[in-house]
Amino acid sequence: CIQRESVFNALNKVDNNILKLDSAHTDTIRLINNPNARQFTAEELIRNLQRFNGNLIIQTMFLRGQHNGQTVDNTTEREVTDWLEALQKIRPKKVMIYTIDRQTPEKALQKVPVDEMNRIADRVRALGFEVSVSA
């Protein structure tokens, strides 16, 4: 709903405006987040996040496994590279990355190891962003 002007304006006033971006790919976001809007696209989400002009914190959950019989993995090179490109467009003041912390309704989803999360975080830092890792 950040495309709604009233929601955007309210979030833009918040000190710690934390917004999710779990992938730069529509199909992956659909698997992970199951957005309600049929017309949802990752490109539109990224454009809306850019509107904050850096006044936001991006939060991303990395995971892999199976969901509804489909493979989901936002840790592949393609996924991470495109996500990093999206971060460069969005220019957040901070990036928070994490993985599954507790049992999920979907038993075939897997936690990403902390060393892998740290390698992704190093790539985020190399772009000049502050990043925190929770694993």
Side-chain angles (χ1 to χ4, degrees):
C1 289
I2 60 173
Q3 67 271 20
R4 283 176 152 162
E5 205 58 32
S6 61
V7 173
F8 171 81
N9 289 333
L11 287 172
N12 211 16
K13 294 176 184 174
V14 175
D15 288 336
N16 288 315
N17 179 18
I18 300 173
L19 297 169
K20 298 269 294 164
L21 180 67
D22 291 328
S23 175
H25 298 275
T26 301
D27 55 341
T28 304
I29 293 174
R30 285 190 186 283
L31 283 171
I32 295 173
N33 305 114
N34 194 24
N36 289 332
R38 285 190 358 218
Q39 69 276 15
F40 170 86
T41 66
E43 294 79 14
E44 180 184 8
L45 173 59
I46 292 165
R47 277 193 304 275
N48 281 314
L49 294 172
Q50 285 177 274
R51 292 179 58 214
F52 287 98
N53 293 317
N55 184 33
L56 74 162
I57 297 167
I58 291 294
Q59 186 180 66
T60 302
M61 178 176 60
F62 287 100
L63 57 95
R64 62 174 62 105
Q66 296 289 315
H67 177 61
N68 291 336
Q70 293 184 291
T71 298
V72 60
D73 184 351
N74 63 345
T75 67
T76 66
E77 184 56 35
R78 174 180 173 257
E79 284 278 349
V80 172
T81 297
D82 293 348
W83 175 76
L84 290 168
E85 287 177 14
L87 290 181
Q88 289 178 292
K89 292 177 184 175
I90 298 165
R91 299 180 335 272
K93 59 185 171 184
K94 184 177 181 179
V95 178
M96 301 167 67
I97 62 175
Y98 66 103
T99 191
I100 298 170
D101 186 36
R102 57 189 171 271
Q103 191 69 277
T104 66
E106 182 66 74
K107 305 296 183 223
L109 293 176
Q110 303 165 7
K111 187 174 187 167
V112 175
V114 70
D115 61 326
E116 192 172 341
M117 300 279 291
N118 284 325
R119 283 194 296 275
I120 294 169
D122 288 343
R123 293 175 70 178
V124 174
R125 285 184 194 98
L127 295 174
F129 298 111
E130 179 184 345
V131 63
S132 65
V133 177
S134 300

